[in-house]
Amino acid sequence: MFSACMRDCYDTCSIVSEIRDGKLKVRGNPSHPITRGFLCPKGALLSKWFHNEERLKLPLIRDKLGDDFKETGWEEAIKIVAERLEETIKKHGSESVLVYNYAGDRGVVNYAFPLRLFHYLNTSMLDYGICDRAGQEALKDVYGTAVGMDPGNLKNQKLIVYWGINSFWTNLHGFMLAKRYGLEKWAVDVLKTETAKRSEKFFQIRPNTDVLFALGIAKAIVENNLYDREFVEENVYGFEEFVKYLSTLDMGFIVDETGIKEEKIEEFAFEYAEKRGVIHIGYGLQRSLIGGDAVRAISILPALVGHKFGFIYDMKTIDKSYAEGAFLRNRPAKRIPQIKLAEYIERGEVKFLYIYNSNPLASLPNQSRLRRAIKKNDVFVVVHDLFLTDTALHAHVVLPANTFFERLDIADSYYHRYVAFNEPVAKLYGKSNSEVTRLLARALNIKNPYLYERDEEVIKKILEMNGLSFEELKRKGFVKVEEKERSYNTPSGRIELYSQRALGRGLSPFPKYKPLGGKGLQLLSPTWKMTITSQYHNTYGIIDPNLYINPKDAEKRGIKNNDEVEVFNKYGSIKTRAKISEDVPEGVVVLYKAFWPKLLGWNVNFLTTDDTVEEYGNGSAYHSTWIEVRKI
């Protein structure tokens, strides 16, 4: 049977699954052109996740936070949720209800179908900003879209630059695809990652200087006439103005700030222009207060060397909006910025939280503030999840979810152009998001037929709307969505080096460098290789909670390898062990993100800032966090 890995991951692997001797067995679909018949280390352990004994089997209820949970039946649990939902809307209005979801499960139906109910009820909706939002807005400023190159076209390229992405951990199939196609690999990063160690060239820039490094490369390309003149004349808007802007930038200043010598900047520029490199822009680098400008600057480089869409960032292949059903609303939605959830709760604007596909009490920043807000304010919390997560521990009602191995769905990818089929392999516990939505609609006595549409009907309609065949997808396990002729959805209809869209938001028409500084050491919190945000910590148990620190910073603080240390700032304090590493530059420390506080006692998000990049869609700024460390 065909399955699709629904995790929040670039690769969206096609899987061949079966039940053998009562146990789930999985392997990569050997026919898939991108994921190519092998699974990442996380995917290879999916059977352990599926069969985990800690999966919730019955709904849990309690009257107030702090009370013990008691198990109950589905009928009673759904009745409690429906009654409290009606009561909240009657007392506080529909906008006091917020559905909080994210990409913990990316199945098209499982992700979107519950939103139909909340659209019908005209509740508040989430304005997503936790992951890649600033970069999306930045790319729209330049290209009119965040959708870049089809990675299948890498076979026609010579060079890929991994800029701010540890692809070997987070996009393993993409990394191996580039290797299979024989591309030269470069890395640009603050940290010497596993990707950097496996790349032919590594440019280790100082933190927060991506903007300057990219502009320095652009300056070298332009001043040495390395750019594709014909392409620029036909496809680029504001080139002359951009050239004048570059002339105001001092290369000596760029060298001093980035830590990259001028000859290395020129080496990058000359070889990059000659090989017309593609740049895979990571999500991590734009989770900072200057992340939007960084992505704008980086994205200009492929245009200078003649690429129409020479970056990899996001991918959208099918229109999935029918599954969400925003047409069920009768007034525009109030959108609550994802990172500002605690603020809206504190202001009394959220009285009912329905959470699925997400574990915000592990993944959101400034955890102490968020937990305090939920406990101190009158918020009724419902969580639909596989496990008793940190978020579930702050709920009044917890509903058991099922896995993607137990339901029908389809999944697209935000990396490649293939849609994958997912069929049920077995049934253990819990209900899908769409099943629970139908139960709630029935308990609320809603008659609208869109809230009772079967999963298969939704899938078939979406595929039909996109010109795809359900039968072909079911037979093959995946289908490719061919790329149509593309244009630039910008005011000029061209790639805008002088961005009119940015100007309209009160920003500079060019990406600007803004030095960032804080007290102590800058804290970076990237993804750990064996988790996807908080997922798999409880099932695989393979985590790395250590603080990585440069030898010079450790010496200044009298810290030796494996010493127990306290890491602290104005947001909170945690205790862990220090690991001294040359892979981390001076002035920077690393703690991997979003392990389960209920298991570890803390996670990095008790330290991270909940500031947002307001001018770039209220994107998150996790990496604009500073801390201090002391030996215990």
Side-chain angles (χ1 to χ4, degrees), residues 285-570:
L285 75 93
Q286 50 86 65
R287 294 177 195 142
S288 92
L289 292 173
I290 56 168
D293 282 275
V295 173
R296 278 175 66 190
I298 296 163
S299 74
I300 286 170
L301 299 179
L304 292 178
V305 301
H307 277 298
K308 282 198 75 172
F309 297 95
F311 62 89
I312 294 173
Y313 190 79
D314 203 353
M315 181 58 68
K316 287 182 173 63
T317 53
I318 57 173
D319 180 354
K320 302 174 286 187
S321 58
Y322 178 76
E324 178 176 337
F327 53 81
L328 293 168
R329 301 191 75 88
N330 60 29
R331 60 176 181 268
K334 174 182 176 179
R335 296 278 174 181
I336 293 179
Q338 190 171 14
I339 303 300
K340 296 187 177 184
L341 176 61
E343 178 184 327
Y344 278 75
I345 292 173
E346 290 166 348
R347 297 200 316 228
E349 295 186 37
V350 177
K351 294 295 183 182
F352 186 107
L353 258 177
Y354 185 90
I355 301 170
Y356 72 97
N357 281 4
S358 189
N359 188 11
L361 272 80
S363 59
L364 281 179
N366 198 353
Q367 278 290 311
S368 294
R369 180 186 183 185
L370 177 59
R371 289 161 183 247
R372 190 165 55 246
I374 289 174
K375 288 174 182 176
K376 287 190 174 182
N377 293 273
D378 182 25
V379 185
F380 191 83
V381 181
V382 180
V383 171
H384 186 198
D385 207 305
L386 290 160
F387 300 102
L388 197 62
T389 63
D390 281 87
T391 305
L393 288 175
H394 289 74
H396 297 84
V397 178
V398 183
L399 305 173
N402 64 12
T403 70
F404 52 81
F405 291 111
E406 296 163 280
R407 55 181 168 77
L408 180 70
D409 215 332
I410 59 173
D412 61 346
S413 167
Y414 52 82
Y415 172 66
H416 56 70
R417 298 196 62 83
Y418 292 87
V419 174
F421 191 68
N422 185 85
E423 51 196 327
V425 182
K427 176 68 176 172
L428 292 184
Y429 320 112
K431 296 183 185 297
S432 71
N433 293 334
S434 60
E435 285 180 284
V436 171
T437 303
R438 295 181 193 102
L439 290 174
L440 281 172
R442 194 168 288 114
L444 291 164
N445 200 29
I446 299 171
K447 306 299 184 186
N448 192 295
Y450 286 109
L451 297 177
Y452 302 98
E453 199 169 11
R454 293 185 303 111
D455 293 352
E456 185 171 328
E457 292 171 350
V458 176
I459 291 166
K460 284 182 174 178
K461 285 180 182 176
I462 289 170
L463 292 173
E464 184 181 353
M465 290 172 180
N466 288 277
L468 301 174
S469 164
F470 178 86
E471 294 305 322
E472 181 186 3
L473 181 58
K474 184 177 181 180
R475 185 174 69 254
K476 293 182 177 179
F478 61 88
V479 293
K480 184 173 185 180
V481 183
E482 296 298 335
E483 189 171 20
K484 297 175 182 176
E485 186 65 29
R486 300 176 63 189
S487 58
Y488 305 110
N489 189 26
T490 57
S492 65
R494 294 179 167 216
I495 302 171
E496 295 203 352
L497 308 193
Y498 180 102
S499 174
Q500 298 176 80
R501 183 176 182 267
L503 200 61
R505 298 203 311 284
L507 300 176
S508 165
F510 308 115
K512 290 279 189 179
Y513 173 61
K514 181 172 66 177
L516 292 182
K519 185 179 179 182
L521 303 167
Q522 187 168 356
L523 172 64
L524 302 183
S525 50
T527 297
W528 167 240
K529 64 181 177 182
M530 287 304 294
T531 57
I532 298 181
T533 308
S534 70
Q535 288 176 323
Y536 302 137
H537 176 179
N538 65 315
T539 52
Y540 300 167
I542 306 170
I543 65 167
D544 183 352
N546 298 299
L547 176 84
Y548 287 85
I549 186 169
N550 182 271
K552 291 180 181 178
D553 290 321
E555 186 179 3
K556 288 176 188 175
R557 292 160 177 81
I559 295 170
K560 294 183 172 59
N561 203 42
N562 288 322
D563 277 351
E564 191 175 1
V565 294
E566 181 186 11
V567 188
F568 60 95
N569 61 12
K570 65 181 181 180

